[in-house]
Amino acid sequence: MAQSLQSFHTFSLPSQCQHIYQIDEVNQLLSTDFSEPFCILGEGSNTVFLSDYQGSVIHMNTKGIDIEQQSDGFLLHIAAGENWHQLVAMTIANDMPGLENLALIPGTVGAAPVQNIGAYGVELEKFVSYVEYFDIATKTIKRLAKDECQFSYRDSIFKHALKNKAVITQVGLLLPKKWQPVLSYGPLQKLTQPSPQQVFEQIIATRNSKLPNPNELANAGSFFKNPVISNEQLALLLQQYPNLPHYFVDSEHHKVAAGWLIEQAGLKGYKVAGIEVHQQQALVLVNHGNSNGDDLIKMVEHIQQQVWQKYQIALQHEVRLINAERECHIELGASS
């Protein structure tokens, strides 16, 4: 019997699937049917179902946090279904700082390593000790050390070699006892000798001022990745757009702000049916209702085309888009 997915993803397009497996205990994965197609889901804050899905959704809802004190830090063992922001708040409240720049990122702990979540100059990989997962083929639990996860910007092994082969069950995070604040981004630069709590509160205030609450206005957070471009291309762009925000990646590349590119292309407030480029933060697409997957595809393609015409930069969406049978990618000139 078909089940509605509208409440299972925060962009809230009308869609259904064949079956939803609620996973409250890891051993339930042993009896889960992984016949393709299937989709693994946490809180659905980074996933949009474009249409009715012809497979099963595996909803990870496992809970539990164990804290192991070590000589130089705290090793946290966290179940995949734990809410990410609640974890961050707990660590700050218990004098275990480090994650404060990642406050208010929506989603679950299990989803966090998949795209190596990051914000305000900090990425998850900085704190990962290990990622534990259920191997679908062997029905066993396996563990990857940080270096084996192949983390990069919004990327990991779980998007590539282990895609559709692994269900993340637990994440180990190591928070050093020696705290070093990261204050290089935006509003954090004005803080002088802040406490972890002050950084935490500043991040929350900043995100709340720019990003709509998905419980009040349907959205999937930051929709596009910040593009990484060559230093040569950056130099050319800065001649024309001296205010373009850019951040060092390595000796040959910089990252530029996708939201700025979209806003300067005049797309704030642009609408396709009930889908709109958010008025406060152009990196976010919001869903006012009466919209479908085709409307969203048209919106993404229009933004990509406009940004390409203006800057010769190809935007990639950060959000997972799921069609009837699989994850798909909307790219300039073609959807795959």
Side-chain angles (χ1 to χ4, degrees):
M1 188 176 117
Q3 292 180 267
S4 174
L5 286 170
Q6 194 158 5
S7 65
F8 280 84
H9 67 128
T10 60
F11 203 78
S12 200
L13 289 178
S15 52
Q16 295 182 322
C17 71
Q18 299 302 307
H19 188 78
I20 298 173
Y21 289 96
Q22 286 281 9
I23 306 298
D24 299 310
E25 303 287 342
V26 171
N27 61 12
Q28 289 176 267
L29 292 168
L30 290 167
S31 56
T32 299
D33 181 5
F34 286 97
S35 301
E36 293 193 347
F38 65 86
C39 176
I40 301 159
L41 204 61
E43 292 182 356
S45 57
N46 194 56
T47 300
V48 177
F49 290 93
L50 297 171
S51 63
D52 287 348
Y53 183 57
Q54 300 304 314
S56 301
V57 166
I58 294 144
H59 182 233
M60 292 300 292
N61 197 40
T62 54
K63 305 294 183 193
I65 302 172
D66 289 323
I67 301 168
E68 185 182 327
Q69 187 161 178
Q70 301 183 341
S71 58
D72 58 349
F74 300 94
L75 180 59
L76 279 58
H77 308 275
I78 313 141
E82 288 284 349
N83 175 271
W84 174 259
H85 175 68
Q86 289 174 14
L87 169 73
V88 177
M90 183 278 291
T91 60
I92 299 300
N94 287 279
D95 200 22
M96 296 182 290
L99 302 178
E100 55 282 340
N101 290 48
L102 305 178
L104 222 58
I105 294 178
T108 59
V109 170
V114 178
Q115 63 160 11
N116 185 22
I117 61 169
Y120 300 99
V122 174
E123 289 187 327
L124 178 74
E125 67 172 298
K126 178 179 179 181
F127 302 101
V128 170
S129 172
Y130 68 85
V131 178
E132 206 167 79
Y133 67 92
F134 177 80
D135 185 296
I136 292 170
T138 63
K139 293 188 177 293
T140 57
I141 298 292
K142 295 184 177 179
R143 181 178 284 199
L144 293 180
K146 172 184 182 170
D147 292 346
E148 296 175 293
C149 292
Q150 299 175 15
F151 289 124
S152 60
Y153 175 61
R154 298 296 177 270
D155 210 3
S156 72
I157 192 171
F158 299 102
K159 283 189 171 185
H160 301 285
L162 290 180
K163 185 174 181 179
N164 294 334
K165 296 177 182 177
V167 183
I168 293 175
T169 53
Q170 184 168 270
V171 178
L173 298 181
L174 183 61
L175 305 182
K177 286 184 177 176
K178 187 178 180 183
W179 179 64
Q180 290 184 305
V182 177
L183 306 174
S184 55
Y185 269 54
L188 300 179
Q189 294 174 328
K190 68 185 180 187
L191 299 177
T192 53
Q193 296 186 315
S195 67
Q197 181 70 29
Q198 287 171 318
V199 177
F200 177 68
E201 290 171 358
Q202 180 66 62
I203 294 290
I204 290 173
T206 302
R207 291 185 74 96
N208 279 335
S209 71
K210 296 197 301 182
L211 301 171
N213 183 337
N215 294 322
E216 298 167 4
L217 179 57
N219 72 88
S222 299
F223 208 93
F224 296 94
K225 297 178 184 179
N226 288 323
V228 176
I229 64 174
S230 69
N231 290 346
E232 291 79 10
Q233 186 176 9
L234 176 64
L236 289 171
L237 285 168
L238 286 173
Q239 289 176 15
Q240 205 171 351
Y241 309 103
N243 296 324
L244 171 63
H246 55 282
Y247 308 97
F248 178 84
V249 173
D250 57 39
S251 60
E252 297 180 358
H253 300 90
H254 274 71
K255 193 164 56 179
V256 293
W260 189 94
L261 299 174
I262 296 166
E263 180 176 350
Q264 297 302 310
L267 292 169
K268 260 190 179 178
Y270 180 80
K271 275 188 172 183
V272 175
I275 297 170
E276 180 184 25
V277 179
H278 189 48
Q279 301 277 0
Q280 275 74 48
Q281 171 52 277
L283 195 54
V284 176
L285 304 183
V286 298
N287 175 21
H288 295 286
N290 299 315
S291 307
N292 58 36
D294 288 342
D295 298 324
L296 180 59
I297 291 169
K298 285 176 191 167
M299 170 66 87
V300 172
E301 289 177 338
H302 180 74
I303 292 170
Q304 288 174 328
Q305 287 161 3
Q306 294 301 305
V307 168
W308 176 259
Q309 286 173 14
K310 193 171 177 71
Y311 313 102
Q312 281 69 60
I313 291 176
L315 281 187
Q316 295 181 315
H317 52 87
E318 181 177 321
V319 175
R320 284 199 308 165
L321 301 178
I322 313 291
N323 63 21
E325 297 178 343
R326 60 191 171 93
E327 185 174 349
C328 61
H329 298 276
I330 304 172
E331 295 176 8
L332 274 168
S335 303
S336 64

